[in-house]
Amino acid sequence: MIPTFKLNKYTSTLLLTMFLSLPLFVAVPIAASVDPVAQAEAAGIEDFQNAPETSQRLSYLDDSLENKGSSEIKNPDITRDVVIGLLKAQGAQKEYFWDGLYFKTFDIDGDGDEEIIAKIDGAVHLGEFFIFDRQMDGQYRLVAEEPWKVESFNDLTPIEVGRKKIYEVVQRDGGTGLDVFTAHLVYFEKGVLHKVWQGTLMERVAMWPHENRLTVGGYRYDSLSQNLYVWKTSLPMDQNGEDIIEGSGQSTFEMLHFNGSIFTK
């Protein structure tokens, strides 16, 4: 049973303020005024390569990553044309939006060979995410393709559970009047992308005057207990979907444990 709490106008505002100030594993991308490109460049972090300068780069939004550098492996043999050729030959679609292609090489499974991690930014809420695994003969095979508009792929601070390294991929989704940021926790093993948990980081609904709301969520992994603590708070908004209405809100909390495959109750 998930506990539910009623919040008055003072505690709802306090909770939201405390939530946004927490040093989370990932910072929730709520403020539209934040420039993730400038933030990443200021931190000295290199992003996916070979994309047009005018396109939005894949951003690292966690302030704790500053001055840690990037774990990216630069393989000069993997060029933009090589990745396009692999996608044309192996991708699920006949054509992709090549101007939105970003990629990097990175040893995501710790086998000593770097995989190709790629994404395509198609539009505000449209995109794809890919992983190519290097085979014994040196060729790359597409082993994962997800319809995710990827806002960030955190390869610097994975969750380590036993011998597994679990990474966070933040997806942006939505449509008219709906904007959602979802965290996917995944690990890559023996050529397979395993999804172990997903949860809402931010959801803004501004479609119906009397049902507008802002939902913010987050998580933290405790290595001592090996528990994943997950929480979410939903707050009503005004008719324009811009400001939080002082009043009641609802919060939920879960404690999950990794069972070897997924995080579960």
Side-chain angles (χ1 to χ4, degrees):
M1 177 70 67
I2 300 174
T4 300
F5 309 96
K6 286 289 186 179
L7 306 177
N8 60 32
K9 65 180 180 180
Y10 302 107
T11 56
S12 62
T13 302
L14 178 61
L15 177 61
L16 182 60
T17 302
M18 292 175 62
F19 172 80
L20 295 177
S21 65
L22 284 174
L24 301 178
F25 177 79
V26 61
V28 181
I30 292 179
S33 59
V34 174
D35 183 352
V37 177
Q39 199 171 34
E41 290 177 344
I45 298 172
E46 298 182 28
D47 275 330
F48 281 31
Q49 303 299 300
N50 300 318
E53 290 297 324
T54 54
S55 297
Q56 181 184 12
R57 295 183 185 178
L58 179 136
S59 57
Y60 295 90
L61 301 176
D62 189 341
D63 292 339
S64 68
L65 299 181
E66 289 187 3
N67 302 320
K68 289 188 177 181
S70 172
S71 59
E72 178 182 1
I73 301 172
K74 294 183 179 179
N75 185 339
D77 295 328
I78 305 301
T79 65
R80 180 180 176 80
D81 289 341
V82 167
V83 176
I84 290 176
L86 290 170
L87 284 172
K88 285 183 175 180
Q90 303 180 42
Q93 302 182 31
K94 293 182 179 179
E95 286 292 330
Y96 295 93
F97 179 60
W98 304 118
D99 287 345
L101 173 65
Y102 301 71
F103 72 95
K104 68 195 305 180
T105 54
F106 170 63
D107 185 6
I108 191 174
D109 56 2
D111 65 356
D113 289 327
E114 68 273 18
E115 286 71 42
I116 300 173
I117 315 297
K119 72 161 191 170
I120 288 178
D121 284 349
V124 175
H125 297 120
L126 299 177
E128 290 85 24
F129 178 68
F130 312 92
I131 298 179
F132 290 89
D133 191 26
R134 191 169 184 268
Q135 306 299 295
M136 294 293 292
D137 59 3
Q139 301 299 310
Y140 283 91
R141 181 170 65 90
L142 180 61
V143 293
E145 179 172 352
E146 298 291 339
W148 296 344
K149 163 66 186 295
V150 173
E151 287 294 307
S152 66
F153 169 69
N154 189 342
D155 62 345
L156 298 179
T157 54
I159 292 174
E160 297 192 28
V161 184
R163 295 184 178 181
K164 300 186 190 308
K165 289 188 176 183
I166 298 174
Y167 298 89
E168 179 200 67
V169 182
V170 175
Q171 172 198 6
R172 186 175 185 180
D173 197 6
T176 303
L178 179 64
D179 198 17
V180 184
F181 289 83
T182 302
H184 299 270
L185 295 185
V186 303
Y187 71 91
F188 189 72
E189 187 175 77
K190 296 181 179 179
V192 178
L193 181 68
H194 298 268
K195 305 171 188 176
V196 300
W197 176 82
Q198 72 175 49
T200 300
L201 297 180
M202 190 276 283
E203 178 180 280
R204 187 188 302 273
V205 178
M207 292 184 287
W208 305 284
H210 301 291
E211 297 183 31
N212 292 338
R213 69 180 185 275
L214 173 67
T215 301
V216 291
Y219 67 91
R220 180 179 289 278
Y221 177 73
D222 177 26
S223 60
L224 294 179
S225 65
Q226 295 190 337
N227 290 328
L228 186 74
Y229 298 97
V230 180
W231 58 91
K232 185 165 61 176
T233 297
S234 182
L235 298 166
M237 303 188 73
D238 61 18
Q239 292 189 13
N240 297 322
E242 297 177 355
D243 298 317
I244 295 173
I245 298 174
E246 292 188 3
S248 63
Q250 288 190 334
S251 292
T252 60
F253 172 83
E254 290 182 314
M255 182 177 69
L256 308 178
H257 191 76
F258 190 66
N259 66 4
S261 300
I262 61 172
F263 282 107
T264 186
K265 298 179 184 179

